[in-house]
Amino acid sequence: MKLNNIFSKRTLYVLCFLALNLIEVLRGSMPGNIWAAATNCTGLVMFVIILSAYPIKDFLNLFNGIYTVICAVAMVAVHFHYQQHVGEYYWGQTQTAILNIWWIGMVVRYLFKKVVVEKSITLKPGKIGWMWILLTVLMIASVSGRWWPLWFFLMFGSFYLTKFTKEDSAALWDGMINGTILAFFAVQIYAYGFRPYDEIRYKGAFINCNVTALYYLIIYMMCLIKLHLLEQKKAKKGWKLFYLIGAGGLLSFQIFTLCRTAWVASLVLTVLYGIYVVRRIWQKKWYQVLLRGAGLVLAVLVTFLPVYYSIRWLPTVLHRPVWYEGEYTTNKVHSYDPADSEKYVDLDTFLNLFIGRIKYTLRNMQAVDPFALQSNAAGIEVERVERVKFAELDKALGGRLSIYKAYWDDLTWYGNGMEKGHYIIGDGDYQTWHAQNLWLQIGYYFGIPAGTVFLLFTFILLYFHKKNLRKTDVSYGITPFFVCIVYFMFGLMEVVWNPGQLIMFLFFFAHHPQMRGEGNDLEPVSVAITTKKC
């Protein structure tokens, strides 16, 4: 019996991605004990996805039975130990960690037998695979003390070795897209019911506006991929219009978060989509590409006001505001505040700040002529102007340059432990907990060698996926490239490296060989899988 006998594959995969989106919400809004357990549940979802490709009876044997009993005993022991050591560690995180050890142990043993004993799976990592292996080794060898690279290596390595039928792989990728888009409606409906718009930067269902912006960016990307699939299938124009308006609406939601990183990422994503998908794959003329771009802009204009009025007025219907840990202030909306309370953000206030934020950024990012104030004092004025340039640009970028410098100065060859990485920036009024840059953070956590390999890994992935876009007959083949674009663009200035984050999961998930059509009709590049007849 296979898992798909219980659920249809399409339903199962949609449910899996609904669960992953729930993990994203819990990870981005709940206190540590909840999000730590939710993060570990990522592995349990992956187990369900992997198990769906195999007969369940393959895992019903004496060894796995004994192993299961041992893990169950360990969970019971942890429970009683926790009763005597409450608060010393997270109960849920530890229990879910044991569950991950349980399923990974069974799956890795099963795949090891397939690769080494039966030789029904031929392992060919390829250049990308070997770089990932090297990166994992360097990460684990560092003094960071973080073990998620090993967890991800075992989890996603097992996923990459799992062969899905052509129909099941299509169902899996559809489940990723449809499940994520459906989850957006659930998440936003929750925000409409319980999260009033009483802060200028809209937070939606999350505790941080930048996390909210990233979530909307992910859904925007899914809408673009969906439009591509509809074009490939020659679907009705009504569905295309629906997703086009939806894409515009998601850009409108991003505007209200005031997250400039998401704006830039969306712009780059849209331009590349127009060049590589609409122009090259759809083979549209340039004026047709521009018309579709104009249609997207029109969709933003059409949805902007409805989005504002929805986030402003819908939460006043139930009027049961929810605050997250550390979020409460007297300026927040309470259940006894009237619907027209001044605590809500009005449109004029938002527009003034929105326009002012753009003007401030552009003004301070303009290059300053270092010779404008040059004197005969041996270049002293030039040095002063350079300091002014740094300070103004640093302000425009939200203090990012100062943060980067703090972490850059403390880079080591062997990484940094968990007790490090907290810096006071400026005059002591701002404390940073992370580098706000993906590559700098990897180098800081895991050492200069790991950071260098990851930087090379980035360029190789982008080159490989850009080249792979030429395979126009692979409908889902655009996904890895655009997931990388979102992951790397947002990672330039924000956090994208924490387990449990949806974008980080998608980054690894989208690199399954069959996402590019490999293992079905095309020759595999990173993993070759052959099936022997029984």
Side-chain angles (χ1 to χ4, degrees):
M1 183 179 71
K2 287 188 177 181
L3 199 59
N4 62 306
N5 292 334
I6 302 174
F7 293 104
S8 71
K9 284 293 180 70
R10 291 189 177 275
T11 302
L12 178 66
Y13 296 144
V14 167
L15 290 174
C16 285
F17 276 91
L18 286 172
L20 289 168
N21 278 260
L22 175 60
I23 291 171
E24 166 81 345
V25 174
L26 295 176
R27 176 66 180 79
S29 60
M30 293 292 107
N33 60 329
I34 296 177
W35 69 251
T39 294
N40 283 348
C41 288
T42 303
L44 304 182
V45 175
M46 179 56 78
F47 176 49
V48 173
I49 293 174
I50 293 173
L51 190 63
S52 69
Y54 301 109
I56 294 179
K57 64 180 180 62
D58 286 2
F59 295 90
L60 302 178
N61 53 59
L62 180 60
F63 178 89
N64 285 342
I66 296 173
Y67 180 60
T68 299
V69 171
I70 292 173
C71 291
V73 170
M75 293 182 71
V76 173
V78 165
H79 175 76
F80 285 106
H81 180 270
Y82 182 81
Q83 302 302 316
Q84 305 301 319
H85 300 82
V86 175
E88 294 183 10
Y89 57 90
Y90 293 143
W91 180 91
Q93 182 184 33
T94 307
Q95 298 286 34
T96 49
I98 295 174
L99 287 174
N100 276 292
I101 293 171
W102 166 70
W103 80 259
I104 289 175
M106 291 193 301
V107 170
V108 168
R109 177 178 176 270
Y110 179 79
L111 292 173
F112 180 83
K113 182 180 178 182
K114 293 286 184 183
V115 173
V116 178
V117 180
E118 299 177 3
K119 300 186 184 302
S120 58
I121 298 178
T122 303
L123 180 62
K124 295 181 180 179
K127 294 179 181 178
I128 292 178
W130 283 118
M131 284 200 71
W132 181 37
I133 292 171
L134 174 61
L135 181 61
T136 302
V137 170
L138 291 173
M139 286 175 159
I140 298 303
S142 71
V143 300
S144 170
R146 294 169 174 84
W147 289 96
W148 69 259
L150 178 60
W151 175 36
F152 270 46
F153 180 76
L154 295 173
M155 176 168 59
F156 285 100
S158 299
F159 175 60
Y160 298 154
L161 287 171
T162 299
K163 178 179 173 61
F164 298 88
T165 66
K166 190 171 184 178
E167 294 73 19
D168 289 348
S169 63
L172 182 58
W173 315 137
D174 281 338
M176 173 192 71
I177 298 166
N178 297 333
T180 304
I181 292 175
L182 284 174
F184 160 75
F185 287 101
V187 171
Q188 194 57 45
I189 287 171
Y190 159 74
Y192 282 153
F194 302 101
R195 300 284 289 166
Y197 185 28
D198 52 6
E199 292 187 49
I200 193 71
R201 300 187 64 181
Y202 182 59
K203 293 182 176 180
F206 299 88
I207 199 170
N208 183 284
C209 53
N210 293 328
V211 176
T212 305
L214 174 57
Y215 188 67
Y216 292 146
L217 176 60
I218 293 171
I219 310 301
Y220 173 66
M221 174 185 64
M222 293 298 177
C223 286
L224 294 184
I225 296 173
K226 189 71 174 181
L227 282 168
H228 172 62
L229 296 177
L230 291 173
E231 179 69 21
Q232 295 287 78
K233 297 175 182 177
K234 306 299 181 183
K236 294 181 179 179
K237 292 184 179 180
W239 281 112
K240 295 178 183 178
L241 181 62
F242 173 79
Y243 282 100
L244 178 63
I245 295 175
L250 286 158
L251 291 176
S252 293
F253 274 112
Q254 286 184 45
I255 290 173
F256 284 99
T257 66
L258 290 177
C259 178
R260 293 169 294 184
T261 306
W263 297 349
V264 174
S266 294
L267 177 61
V268 173
L269 177 65
T270 305
V271 171
L272 293 178
Y273 185 86
I275 294 172
Y276 291 112
V277 177
V278 181
R279 172 63 176 167
R280 295 189 181 179
I281 298 179
W282 297 3
Q283 297 183 343
K284 302 296 183 181
K285 295 181 179 180
W286 279 116
Y287 82 88
Q288 294 174 306
V289 176
L290 294 176
L291 282 177
R292 283 166 171 77
L296 182 61
V297 173
L298 180 60
V300 175
L301 296 175
V302 168
T303 58
F304 180 79
L305 286 179
V307 165
Y308 168 73
Y309 287 116
S310 67
I311 63 178
R312 166 62 181 89
W313 291 102
L314 288 180
T316 66
V317 176
L318 290 179
H319 211 40
R320 294 290 184 271
V322 169
W323 307 304
Y324 296 137
E325 186 177 52
E327 201 177 55
Y328 173 81
T329 68
T330 55
N331 294 327
K332 300 286 288 184
V333 167
H334 298 71
S335 57
Y336 52 76
D337 288 317
D340 59 351
S341 171
E342 293 182 354
K343 294 180 180 179
Y344 290 100
V345 178
D346 61 72
L347 186 58
D348 288 340
T349 301
F350 170 80
L351 289 175
N352 287 334
L353 185 61
F354 170 68
I355 296 171
R357 187 173 177 83
I358 294 175
K359 287 182 177 179
Y360 178 82
T361 302
L362 294 177
R363 182 176 67 249
N364 288 285
M365 291 187 71
Q366 290 176 351
V368 177
D369 183 0
F371 299 100
L373 298 178
Q374 188 172 9
S375 68
N376 295 325
I380 295 177
E381 288 297 333
V382 174
E383 180 183 354
R384 186 179 75 82
V385 172
E386 292 297 334
R387 288 200 302 268
V388 171
K389 286 171 61 180
F390 179 90
E392 291 302 312
L393 184 58
D394 193 34
K395 289 179 181 179
L397 297 176
R400 296 298 199 282
L401 298 182
S402 294
I403 295 171
Y404 296 160
K405 186 177 185 304
Y407 284 86
W408 178 268
D409 290 344
D410 281 352
L411 286 176
T412 68
W413 290 98
Y414 45 81
N416 288 281
M418 293 186 182
E419 73 283 357
K420 296 183 179 180
H422 307 153
Y423 294 94
I424 303 297
I425 303 298
D427 297 327
D429 56 345
Y430 180 75
Q431 182 175 7
T432 180
W433 301 81
H434 48 76
Q436 300 205 29
N437 178 275
L438 173 60
W439 297 269
L440 185 56
Q441 191 71 58
I442 295 296
Y444 183 85
Y445 275 166
F446 304 108
I448 294 174
T452 303
V453 170
F454 186 71
L455 183 62
L456 294 174
F457 194 48
T458 300
F459 289 114
I460 290 174
L461 281 177
L462 289 174
Y463 172 78
F464 176 76
H465 292 315
K466 175 180 172 293
K467 184 179 178 181
N468 206 54
L469 288 174
R470 298 173 184 172
K471 300 176 181 178
T472 58
D473 57 330
V474 183
S475 297
Y476 304 92
I478 70 168
T479 305
F481 177 72
F482 288 109
V483 167
C484 283
I485 292 297
V486 170
Y487 185 66
F488 293 140
M489 285 300 301
F490 204 83
L492 280 172
M493 301 185 72
E494 297 294 346
V495 179
V496 292
W497 53 80
N498 288 323
Q501 283 188 282
L502 182 59
I503 188 58
M504 187 175 178
F505 178 91
L506 291 173
F507 174 70
F508 282 89
F509 182 83
H511 284 90
H512 193 291
Q514 286 179 266
M515 178 64 83
R516 303 183 298 272
E518 298 168 16
N520 290 325
D521 303 316
L522 304 177
E523 182 66 22
V525 174
S526 57
V527 179
I529 303 174
T530 59
T531 305
K532 290 185 175 181
K533 292 183 179 180
C534 298

